[in-house]
Amino acid sequence: MEGLSEAEANLVVYVHPSKSRNVPQAILRELSSLLFKFKETFDGVLLAYDVNILDRQAKILSGIHPYIGLRLKAQLLLFSPKPDMLLEGKVVKLSQESIHVVILGFSSAIITAENIRQEFKYKIKDGEEMFASRSHKRHVIKVGTMIRFLVKSVDEEILHVIGSLMEAHTGSIRWLDKKSEETSEFDRSAMKSRDREWQEDKTVDEGATPLSNSNHIKKSKKRRIAED
Amino acid sequence: MGLELPKYPVMEEEEVVNLELEIARRVREALSSVPSLEGSRDSYNQLVGVILHSKQLGRDELALLETTLKGLAAAVSLIDLTHHESLVSAIFSMSMWNYAPHVEDALAELIVSLAVSNGKYLDLSLGMLVNNFTPPPYFLDKLGLPYGLDRKNQVLSRVHAAFKKISEYVPLAPLRLINLVIQRMPTIYHKDRAVLIYVENMLKLESGEIGEVVGNSVLMALVDRLIDLDLEIGWDAILRDDFNKGIFEMELEDEDEIVESAEQHPGEFRLSRMTLVGNSIAELLDNLLVLTFEHLESCERAGRLAKVFETLLQSFQITVMSAYKSKFTQFVMFYACALDPENCGVRFATVLADLFVQDSRPEQTRMTAVAYLASYLSRAKFLSVFFISTMLKRLVDWCLEYCKTHDGDINPNAHRVFYSGCQAIMYILCFRMKVFVDVPRLNLLLMPPLEQILKHKLNPLKVCLPSVVEEFLRQSKAASLFTVSETFIFDGLLESELSRAFGGLERLDTFFPFDPCLLKRCDRSFDEQEHDLDEFDTAMSKMSITPKNGYCYKFGGRDSTRMPSRIRPSTSPESL
């Protein structure tokens, strides 16, 4: 799935003096308050972090309250959906007008009828609503299906994605994967080389420390298929 | 909409479906007609008109409204925030309380569809549902009536079901919801009934499907609000007359009972709950506390009390303990402990004791903690004798250690924590002297160190609150536990200069937080908790005489460890 990335960040956390008794806990609290919120500095949503304190000595910020500035090195897992990315999620609601999807268990997406390609036809079978492909009998989307779709736009404040199933390589993941397995070896290697193009360097920085290392992030194509 | 509904009330199934489709089609037409510059906006305006029309709807109009809402729910993707501004604002200002269940269903469905369709509508939808926590003003009075109650159940069940649905499709919705809920909490100056029903909703959220996410915040916001109300009630609203007498008296007489009481000690202080009657804030607080108690009971039945208690404990330490002499809010803790003595009851006391012995904590926190502990251990009938003795031993050990490491003379300012600890021990023993009689081994375990403490140079007997010391000495003499060579004559003084000195500005020397609750309904909740009231107790509760038991001379003899029922608050007015 696109949109997920790992980054190494040099951070500075300012701890209020009242928390000086248990600084590690204060740091964790501070970082936890950033979770699941869109941050401009990260250009994405922080999903998880792993932190290392660089220096046991901290600088005291002079001012009304002597905040303690701590330098940290953290591994961050970020989610930054952008238009034209392919995302994967689980269908939670389906109706004639729309498909509602939940991505990674916390972000919501909607695909309205006008963004679903003609190939899919809405029907009700045995009381269950679904979108079934007209050309491929096995290709079916219903509640609980994991689907891959294209991002049209993202509302960053509530992490709501407007998606589309217009592209040919969107739809039920299980069916798409099966289909891609059946394609020739040439096709498969062509897809792999496309993946490598996505690697880029990125540094994330926050606070007063000057920019130092440039690290490359591994773009993890982790498919978190949470079957819950 | 320009549709003429047939005059017959009963329609064929097929006709109904056709009608619905027709209306749905017209809705889509009306919505799409707006962006275009040509053509009239008549159909759109009619649509808005249907939504806005809320008073005294006939059956036909209700049916029309219901189908219109359904039509809108199906056409949600066509609704645009800018083009259909009047429609959107009309929808979000609707109140479910105005309508019958069918319409409520349709409206709920529409709101849910709007919320999940577009990020822009999420906050508006959640806001609309939160507004539906309280009925419109004209309905507030009708809440007590049976049909009002019905309507309430209908609306609230749908509102909370809507929250659940929205959370399923938009997982981050609860976080936004809780912020909205806390922001819109009615202030204490709103009408009582509105506040009560809102809090009822908050508690419903806590125990509901999204409770795991929002529960903690709900409880903490609730305790904050309780403290706000608590602090609004001045101590002067409660106290009157000469207050120096009898902090150990067990009787709290209602005005009408005064005539009947058999004996009346001279100069006895007459406090009654009458002073709080008519105090609207007190009433509101009373009702809120009872609501909270009921909620705690339901938590206990569901097996969740231990977890809820942890949140309450946190809130207690942050909010209640730091408030200046909270009068009633602490009873929430007491009630929870009473519901689950082995876990919550023990935990509460342990946390307080831990706070007291921690050197790193500020003095005031430690003194407040031990004041709560003392009052709690004295009044909580549900605590086992063994546990109380363990706690006592902890306090005694700490005080003894302090004595050994501090060699100074009497100095109320320098040893505030120590004196409050000693006073706590004496106070507990005033109520629990029987403990020594019941468990002779304790006598050997506690008395020698206690004697050492009390006879130390620091002289706690002289510094601690005179009334407490006097009572303690009297009782211990009667129980032949020990005697002091120096006679302490206090003339029934409540307090002295020395006690004031160690008590400090906050007067923590006269802080007995679990003295019986003066709020009527609240107090009755505690009474109801007692299942094994024996006749002796009930008789005692009417009179203020001495009991059979020799030691509990002034204590109304009954099992003085009963949950607080009738007693005077023991703080003196001049000191405040």
Side-chain angles (χ1 to χ4, degrees):
Chain A
M1 178 168 116
E2 297 168 6
L4 279 176
S5 57
E6 267 183 58
E8 260 189 58
N10 294 317
L11 306 171
V12 177
V13 171
Y14 292 103
V15 176
H16 191 272
S18 65
K19 309 267 186 288
S20 56
R21 188 160 285 283
N22 190 348
V23 172
Q25 192 189 71
I27 296 175
L28 290 177
R29 278 259 166 86
E30 191 63 38
L31 288 173
S32 297
S33 69
L34 298 174
L35 286 173
F36 294 114
K37 291 196 184 84
F38 184 84
K39 284 274 162 200
E40 277 197 27
T41 28
F42 298 145
D43 193 27
V45 178
L46 180 62
L47 295 183
Y49 61 84
D50 190 19
V51 69
N52 277 314
I53 302 178
L54 275 179
D55 204 344
R56 288 223 72 102
Q57 290 198 331
K59 278 210 167 114
I60 296 185
L61 195 70
S62 56
I64 299 176
H65 299 290
Y67 276 80
I68 307 167
L70 279 153
R71 292 175 52 206
L72 317 163
K73 211 179 183 77
Q75 294 270 92
L76 307 173
L77 181 63
L78 299 170
F79 177 57
S80 25
K82 293 272 180 291
D84 292 330
M85 271 189 184
L86 280 173
L87 295 181
E88 299 168 8
K90 190 177 188 177
V91 176
V92 288
K93 184 183 178 202
L94 208 138
S95 71
Q96 194 164 15
E97 283 84 28
S98 58
I99 300 178
H100 297 263
V101 182
V102 167
I103 311 166
L104 292 176
F106 74 93
S107 177
S108 52
I110 184 173
I111 305 168
T112 48
E114 61 243 16
N115 286 318
I116 302 176
R117 59 183 184 270
Q118 282 295 358
E119 183 191 335
F120 286 107
K121 181 175 162 220
Y122 171 79
K123 64 181 196 183
I124 303 180
K125 190 173 166 194
D126 299 330
E128 207 181 353
E129 290 173 292
M130 61 175 74
F131 275 93
S133 165
R134 280 177 238 256
S135 32
H136 308 275
K137 272 240 153 66
R138 291 286 181 94
H139 194 172
V140 156
I141 298 177
K142 43 188 175 165
V143 173
T145 316
M146 292 294 294
I147 61 166
R148 187 177 293 146
F149 58 94
L150 201 74
V151 176
K152 279 189 80 180
S153 68
V154 180
D155 181 334
E156 278 150 6
E157 210 188 309
I158 50 162
L159 300 177
H160 188 83
V161 173
I162 299 191
S164 123
L165 282 172
M166 294 301 268
E167 302 279 314
H169 50 273
T170 54
S172 157
I173 295 179
R174 190 178 294 171
W175 187 86
L176 288 170
D177 283 352
K178 238 192 255 172
K179 180 174 167 231
S180 68
E181 265 173 33
E182 290 159 11
T183 55
S184 66
E185 209 149 356
F186 177 71
D187 277 346
R188 220 179 296 141
S189 56
M191 279 207 310
K192 271 199 186 151
S193 58
R194 188 163 55 93
D195 291 350
R196 279 197 211 99
E197 282 169 40
W198 288 106
Q199 273 198 348
E200 43 187 305
D201 287 345
K202 191 158 83 167
T203 11
V204 180
D205 208 298
E206 196 174 27
T209 46
L211 191 53
S212 42
N213 334 330
S214 68
N215 310 301
H216 49 255
I217 4 102
K218 302 168 281 214
K219 201 123 187 176
S220 52
K221 287 201 97 185
K222 288 183 202 153
R223 265 200 229 120
R224 304 255 199 89
I225 302 184
E227 308 278 18
D228 45 68
Chain B
M1 297 285 291
L3 248 174
E4 289 252 342
L5 291 174
K7 300 276 191 285
Y8 330 105
V10 177
M11 286 196 287
E12 295 288 344
E13 176 81 36
E14 210 190 289
E15 282 179 2
V16 171
V17 171
N18 284 340
L19 199 55
E20 282 185 9
L21 287 174
E22 175 64 19
I23 293 183
R25 189 186 65 79
R26 290 197 182 219
V27 165
R28 295 184 95 96
E29 228 175 62
L31 288 174
S32 2
S33 74
V34 173
S36 69
L37 293 168
E38 42 190 80
S40 75
R41 295 182 41 149
D42 273 349
S43 48
Y44 172 72
N45 290 335
Q46 277 178 350
L47 180 57
V48 180
V50 170
I51 301 290
L52 284 173
H53 185 34
S54 64
K55 298 273 155 70
Q56 287 150 346
L57 290 170
R59 189 151 32 138
D60 289 345
E61 292 160 310
L62 274 175
L64 179 59
L65 180 57
E66 187 189 336
T67 22
T68 311
L69 290 171
K70 283 194 182 151
L72 281 169
V76 145
S77 47
L78 292 173
I79 302 180
D80 182 81
L81 202 54
T82 28
H83 289 134
H84 303 125
E85 199 187 316
S86 45
L87 178 64
V88 169
S89 72
I91 296 175
F92 286 125
S93 52
M94 283 180 89
S95 171
M96 279 195 210
W97 295 81
N98 291 329
Y99 310 108
H102 284 296
V103 180
E104 290 169 17
D105 276 332
L107 180 53
E109 207 193 301
L110 173 58
I111 296 292
V112 170
S113 302
L114 277 169
V116 306
S117 70
N118 195 326
K120 292 181 276 194
Y121 296 129
L122 181 65
D123 283 342
L124 287 169
S125 308
L126 292 175
M128 182 267 187
L129 290 168
V130 171
N131 283 343
N132 273 273
F133 278 176
T134 44
Y138 77 88
F139 205 94
L140 267 177
D141 299 319
K142 308 208 175 100
L143 275 178
L145 304 166
Y147 93 88
L149 214 58
D150 274 343
R151 182 54 58 86
K152 174 178 124 178
N153 290 334
Q154 288 161 4
V155 173
L156 295 190
S157 60
R158 281 165 178 80
V159 165
H160 287 268
F163 285 143
K164 173 169 181 259
K165 265 215 183 121
I166 296 178
S167 315
E168 273 171 24
Y169 307 141
V170 184
L172 290 178
L175 287 175
R176 303 192 79 83
L177 175 62
I178 188 65
N179 286 335
L180 270 170
V181 167
I182 294 181
Q183 262 173 36
R184 300 204 185 173
M185 235 179 125
T187 63
I188 57 180
Y189 303 109
H190 278 88
K191 264 206 144 159
D192 273 25
R193 261 159 289 169
V195 181
L196 283 172
I197 196 169
Y198 195 93
V199 171
E200 203 184 313
N201 273 287
M202 284 173 70
L203 291 173
K204 213 173 154 134
L205 274 177
E206 197 271 331
S207 51
E209 306 276 345
I210 54 175
E212 272 190 36
V213 183
V214 303
N216 282 0
S217 315
V218 161
L219 290 171
M220 299 192 82
L222 175 60
V223 175
D224 284 346
R225 182 47 48 88
L226 290 174
I227 277 284
D228 283 345
L229 287 167
D230 199 310
L231 293 174
E232 279 286 321
I233 304 175
W235 273 105
D236 50 334
I238 308 178
L239 311 170
R240 53 174 201 193
D241 291 342
D242 173 29
F243 209 44
N244 291 338
K245 310 271 171 259
I247 61 173
F248 294 102
E249 291 295 342
M250 299 289 280
E251 307 317 313
L252 183 63
E253 296 131 15
D254 284 330
E255 302 266 295
D256 17 284
E257 281 182 359
I258 289 172
V259 186
E260 294 155 2
S261 60
E263 278 180 40
Q264 295 184 16
H265 298 266
E268 199 165 278
F269 172 72
R270 294 223 188 292
L271 173 80
S272 69
R273 282 195 202 92
M274 300 298 277
T275 47
L276 275 180
V277 167
N279 186 330
S280 58
I281 294 190
E283 261 179 64
L284 176 57
L285 182 56
D286 201 359
N287 290 328
L288 280 176
L289 282 171
V290 172
L291 202 61
T292 315
F293 293 165
E294 284 166 2
H295 182 77
L296 288 174
E297 277 171 23
S298 75
C299 289
E300 203 263 329
R301 282 193 293 268
R304 297 191 304 126
L305 189 59
K307 196 161 169 286
V308 167
F309 190 74
E310 285 305 309
T311 311
L312 286 176
L313 203 52
Q314 218 186 3
S315 186
F316 177 79
Q317 289 180 64
I318 299 173
T319 312
V320 181
M321 270 185 72
S322 52
Y324 173 72
K325 291 202 177 174
S326 163
K327 295 162 216 71
F328 308 112
T329 313
Q330 62 270 24
F331 283 101
V332 173
M333 306 303 292
F334 199 102
Y335 202 84
C337 291
L339 289 173
D340 185 7
E342 269 125 63
N343 294 316
C344 303
V346 166
R347 177 118 175 88
F348 188 49
T350 316
V351 166
L352 288 172
D354 288 343
L355 277 173
F356 172 65
V357 303
Q358 258 186 310
D359 280 330
S360 53
R361 297 277 181 171
E363 261 184 6
Q364 189 166 339
T365 311
R366 300 171 73 185
M367 289 171 72
T368 313
V370 84
Y372 272 105
L373 182 62
S375 193
Y376 173 61
L377 291 176
S378 313
R379 304 285 182 179
K381 178 184 179 174
F382 46 85
L383 290 175
S384 71
V385 166
F386 173 71
F387 180 67
I388 294 180
S389 59
T390 322
M391 287 283 117
L392 262 175
K393 177 134 191 347
R394 240 184 120 173
L395 290 174
V396 168
D397 285 345
W398 185 89
C399 288
L400 186 63
E401 190 58 41
Y402 193 94
C403 282
K404 290 187 177 150
T405 50
H406 290 80
D407 205 29
D409 263 334
I410 184 168
N411 189 342
N413 284 312
H415 307 287
R416 297 177 71 199
V417 182
F418 169 71
Y419 289 123
S420 58
C422 295
Q423 183 169 306
I425 298 172
M426 288 193 273
Y427 186 79
I428 298 171
L429 285 172
C430 288
F431 283 84
R432 302 279 190 173
M433 200 59 87
K434 238 165 102 8
V435 153
F436 286 101
V437 177
D438 290 343
V439 188
R441 193 175 50 87
L442 264 183
N443 202 328
L444 292 166
L445 208 56
L446 278 181
M447 284 333 278
L450 187 56
E451 223 179 304
Q452 267 193 291
I453 296 170
L454 295 177
K455 294 188 175 166
H456 190 265
K457 267 203 277 180
L458 285 168
N459 215 334
L461 290 174
K462 207 162 181 187
V463 179
C464 293
L465 204 64
S467 36
V468 175
V469 176
E470 198 177 329
E471 187 59 35
F472 170 71
L473 288 175
R474 190 204 326 268
Q475 283 205 28
S476 52
K477 187 164 174 199
S480 314
L481 287 173
F482 72 78
T483 46
V484 276
S485 48
E486 204 182 320
T487 40
F488 289 88
I489 304 171
F490 294 117
D491 288 329
L493 264 181
L494 173 70
E495 55 186 34
S496 70
E497 218 179 281
L498 290 168
S499 81
R500 267 198 287 269
F502 99 80
L505 271 176
E506 309 85 23
R507 292 314 308 278
L508 288 170
D509 55 321
T510 52
F511 183 39
F512 306 104
F514 289 113
D515 278 352
C517 192
L518 286 173
L519 294 173
K520 203 146 126 197
R521 283 189 74 200
C522 228
D523 191 46
R524 232 181 284 139
S525 308
F526 285 114
D527 274 350
E528 279 159 19
Q529 270 274 316
E530 288 294 334
H531 299 300
D532 47 19
L533 266 177
D534 65 323
E535 307 138 279
F536 182 68
D537 272 1
T538 38
M540 279 300 109
S541 66
K542 294 243 175 192
M543 299 180 284
S544 60
I545 14 167
T546 49
K548 299 197 253 178
N549 252 328
Y551 329 126
C552 309
Y553 162 57
K554 245 188 172 180
F555 275 52
R558 79 274 264 348
D559 208 334
S560 55
T561 54
R562 232 195 98 117
M563 277 233 265
S565 58
R566 299 137 103 69
I567 215 189
R568 296 160 221 270
S570 38
T571 42
S572 66
E574 318 82 78
S575 55
L576 300 159

